[in-house]
């Protein structure tokens, strides 16, 4: 795939969350895909390396319950080879009424037209604070 096609794939992948379409996003991941979330698992339980099945469960516990979806809006992308670096911001109102508005850096690897791996760097303190409420 071209660099522009890789960036479009990433943008399309994140757009699914704004439509509460976790299944559509996960269909864009390779079956053996992984998702790593920054943080110390003993302090931030969702941190660490997750299989596609595990991250699907996490996302299904969060995204469908949001008021209008969890918009993840890329603000910048750089592509090289089969990787896309993406800066993004999320916005969503959770079932507990709290607003989730985080900033990220994602490093996404693409293989055979599918998302092979996601590395997610985020504000873990904001996530923990909003989810606990």
């Amino acid at each position: 795939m071209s660099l522009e096609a890789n960036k479009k794939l990433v943008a399309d992948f994140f757009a699914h969350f704004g439509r509460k379409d976790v299944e559509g996003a996960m269909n864009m991941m390779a079956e053996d895909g992984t998702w790593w979330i920054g943080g110390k698992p003993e302090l931030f339980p969702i941190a660490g390396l997750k299989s596609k099945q595990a991250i699907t469960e996490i996302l299904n516990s969060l995204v469908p319950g949001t008021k209008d979806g969890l918009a993840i809006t890329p603000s910048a992308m750089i592509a090289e080879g089969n990787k896309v670096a993406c800066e993004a911001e999320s916005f969503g109102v959770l079932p507990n009424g709290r607003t989730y508005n985080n900033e990220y850096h994602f490093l996404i690897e693409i293989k055979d037209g599918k998302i092979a791996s996601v590395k997610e760097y985020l504000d873990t303190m904001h996530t923990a604070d909003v989810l606990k409420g």
Side-chain angles (χ1 to χ4, degrees), residues 40-99:
K40 304 288 185 204
E42 63 274 13
L43 300 173
F44 186 61
I46 64 172
L49 186 64
K50 310 292 183 215
S51 67
K52 179 179 176 177
Q53 179 181 347
I55 197 64
T56 299
E57 291 172 15
I58 291 169
L59 292 168
N60 273 327
S61 73
L62 175 67
V63 176
T66 58
K67 182 178 176 193
D68 296 311
L70 181 64
I72 300 176
T73 307
S75 57
M77 284 193 239
I78 298 171
E80 182 176 306
N82 67 335
K83 294 183 179 178
V84 176
C86 177
E87 292 180 313
E89 182 176 1
S90 67
F91 184 87
V93 178
L94 303 181
N96 63 14
R98 300 190 80 187
T99 298

Side-chain angles (χ1 to χ4, degrees), residues 113-124:
K114 296 270 192 175
I115 305 290
S117 69
V118 176
K119 289 184 86 172
E120 175 182 345
Y121 300 86
L122 71 161
D123 180 347
T124 56

